Amino acid sequence: MTGTRKSRSFLLSAALTRAGFVLLRAKAPGGAARWERSNHAGRTVELYAGPAVAVGTALAAARVRPAAGLAVLAAGVCGAYDDRAADHRRGFRAHLGALRDGEVTSGAVKLFGICAAALAAGALLKQRPLDRLLAGVVIAGAAHGVNLVDVRPGRALGAVLALGLPGLLGEGPGAELAAVAAGGAAAVLREDVGERTMLGDTGAHALGAALGEIGRAGAAVVAGGGRAGLLAGAVAVVATAGYGDRVTGWARAL
């Protein structure tokens, strides 16, 4: 029965994400030019994958745990705000440094928005106060971590698939959420690797909230892991954030 639920979660996430992607591409709100950006190589790519992934995975995650769906959708919305503002500064230090100087960047708004949503989701997913706090740290940190490696085609999606597919071997809500993340990533992988679309902060943060970039982090470990797993996940994502520049550099060099 669990295997069937995981398969359904994977297929539902992939189908919803793909349907959203096709629909946005066919009828782009505001016109196609509004959804175009230049990637690292100067090629024009589309931004349809980000919203499609965020909505598709959020709906599929909500079927498993409503709080997980909330975290995924909120992370995607905050990422979309930053995408729209087009502030190219990356990492906590840059945005917190600007905030210290009196400038409220879109990245800072995104940071606090995702943290607030992650803490709210953690409070709904866990019962004990410490577990709730750790859950929020893991979800927010995981969302940030996937975004750190989204610097070249296929990097973020490849990371999500590499970590999500082993998670399918587990049982319970965590395994189902791993299937959700893997399904959403698989749905747009071809276009992302082919440099026809990009996730942007919208899609990267949403996928990170659903799964995470190190181990079984994000909502998956929150839904399926105990305190030891939460603590390990929290340490991993905090370390990743602390060495964000190195993580991003590693992703570029691959």
Side-chain angles (χ1 to χ4, degrees):
M1 180 64 70
T2 302
T4 301
R5 289 184 64 87
K6 287 187 288 188
S7 298
R8 288 177 178 173
S9 294
F10 180 93
L11 294 173
L12 178 63
S13 180
L16 289 173
T17 298
R18 192 68 196 178
F21 180 74
V22 172
L23 181 61
L24 282 172
R25 177 178 270 180
K27 297 182 178 180
R34 184 178 182 183
W35 294 81
E36 293 178 347
R37 293 290 189 277
S38 294
N39 69 1
H40 72 284
R43 296 186 179 92
T44 299
V45 296
E46 304 163 341
L47 294 177
Y48 305 128
V53 164
V55 175
T57 55
L59 291 174
R63 174 179 170 272
V64 181
R65 288 285 178 89
L70 167 67
V72 173
L73 183 61
V77 169
C78 292
Y81 174 78
D82 200 24
D83 280 337
R84 185 62 181 163
D87 189 331
H88 298 293
R89 283 172 286 191
R90 300 183 68 89
F92 289 160
R93 294 178 183 177
H95 294 292
L96 292 179
L99 187 63
R100 186 173 58 249
D101 294 334
E103 179 187 1
V104 180
T105 67
S106 59
V109 173
K110 176 186 67 175
L111 169 63
F112 290 113
I114 290 177
C115 287
L119 289 171
L124 293 172
L125 287 165
K126 294 296 180 182
Q127 295 181 344
R128 297 179 179 179
L130 179 57
D131 290 344
R132 289 175 172 176
L133 176 61
L134 289 173
V137 171
V138 171
I139 293 173
H144 175 64
V146 170
N147 191 53
L148 283 176
V149 300
D150 187 34
V151 290
R152 293 292 186 271
R155 301 300 194 272
L157 293 179
V160 170
L161 287 171
L163 295 166
L165 293 178
L168 299 179
L169 300 176
E171 302 293 338
E176 290 181 58
L177 288 170
V180 167
V188 294
L189 180 63
R190 182 180 61 181
E191 286 80 8
D192 186 63
V193 172
E195 297 189 58
R196 295 189 293 276
T197 190
M198 64 189 301
L199 287 176
D201 286 4
T202 308
H205 282 302
L207 285 173
L211 179 65
E213 87 295 349
I214 297 177
R216 290 177 63 195
V221 75
V222 171
R227 179 170 294 177
L230 282 173
L231 184 58
V235 170
V237 297
V238 169
T240 299
Y243 291 93
D245 291 342
R246 294 186 183 182
V247 172
T248 298
W250 169 76
R252 285 196 180 101
L254 280 176

